[in-house]
Structure formats: structure tokens, C-alpha cells
């Protein structure tokens, strides 16, 4: 059980870390280019991922049988919305970064 909890923390911690790295890239691009990237909006998917992770870690600690990353609608919605949000923000950031500077 301890190994399952540690692996879950490492996996979800890695995902949250990647989201924070993307937020830092957006912040750096905003500071260096002067374009608004709205990097603070990246906190929304970080918080949603964290919330979904806590729900599933709670399930894991409670000893629920079966897969520990399915079966909770609230956590699934949090993780789905976080993924959608980070996809949209990341796509917008990519468009901003690869746009031709000569308008």
C-alpha cells in the first residue's frame, strides 16, 4: 500500500510540475516579449489537478478495491477540465510564441 501511495504521489506530482513549468514558460515569454500570456490562468489547471489528485489519493488511502484512478465523478471532472484548460492555454501560448513578429 505504501508503494502504491508513493508511486501515485510521484506520478501526479510530475504532472503538476509539468503544468507549473508551462506556467513559468508563459511568464518568461510575457516578460521577455511584452505580450500578455495571462500566465496566472495556468494556476486553474494546477489547482484542479491537485484537487483530483487529492480525491484519488484519499480513495487509495481508504483501501478501495479496484483501480484507484477511476470511479469518482468529481475527481474525473476536475482532471478532465484541468486537461482541457491546460491544452487550450498551451495551444494559445504556442500560437503566441510562433507568430510572426511583423504584423
Amino acid at each position: 500500500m505504501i508503494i502504491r501511495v508513493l508511486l501515485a504521489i510521484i506520478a501526479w506530482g510530475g504532472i503538476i510540475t509539468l503544468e507549473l513549468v508551462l506556467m513559468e514558460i508563459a511568464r518568461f515569454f510575457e516578460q521577455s516579449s511584452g505580450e500578455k500570456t495571462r500566465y496566472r490562468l495556468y494556476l486553474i489547471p494546477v489547482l484542479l489537478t491537485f484537487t483530483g489528485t487529492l480525491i484519488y489519493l484519499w480513495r487509495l488511502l481508504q483501501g478501495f478495491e479496484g483501480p484507484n484512478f477511476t470511479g469518482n465523478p468529481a475527481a474525473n471532472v476536475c482532471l478532465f477540465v484541468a486537461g482541457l484548460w491546460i491544452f487550450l492555454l498551451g495551444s494559445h501560448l504556442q500560437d503566441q510564441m510562433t507568430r510572426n513578429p511583423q504584423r
Side-chain angles (χ1 to χ4, degrees):
M1 168 115 145
I2 294 173
I3 293 174
R4 290 174 74 183
V5 171
L6 287 175
L7 288 174
I9 290 171
I10 290 169
W12 289 109
I15 292 170
I16 291 171
T17 301
L18 288 174
E19 291 174 349
L20 290 171
V21 166
L22 187 59
M23 183 175 110
E24 282 301 309
I25 291 170
R27 186 184 66 80
F28 176 77
F29 183 72
E30 182 174 303
Q31 289 177 346
S32 63
S33 71
E35 285 191 54
K36 293 287 184 196
T37 60
R38 296 176 180 81
Y39 66 91
R40 289 180 185 94
L41 290 177
Y42 287 82
L43 285 175
I44 294 170
V46 169
L47 292 174
L48 286 170
T49 302
F50 185 72
T51 303
T53 300
L54 284 180
I55 293 170
Y56 277 124
L57 283 176
W58 179 255
R59 284 176 57 91
L60 186 61
L61 290 172
Q62 294 300 312
F64 281 100
E65 292 296 321
N68 294 312
F69 297 108
T70 61
N72 188 298
N76 291 343
V77 168
C78 285
L79 295 173
F80 174 76
V81 172
L84 184 62
W85 195 263
I86 202 77
F87 173 76
L88 294 173
L89 287 172
S91 296
H92 180 68
L93 180 64
Q94 180 188 10
D95 289 345
Q96 282 183 303
M97 293 175 78
T98 58
R99 188 177 350 175
N100 188 359
Q102 301 166 351
R103 297 175 199 232

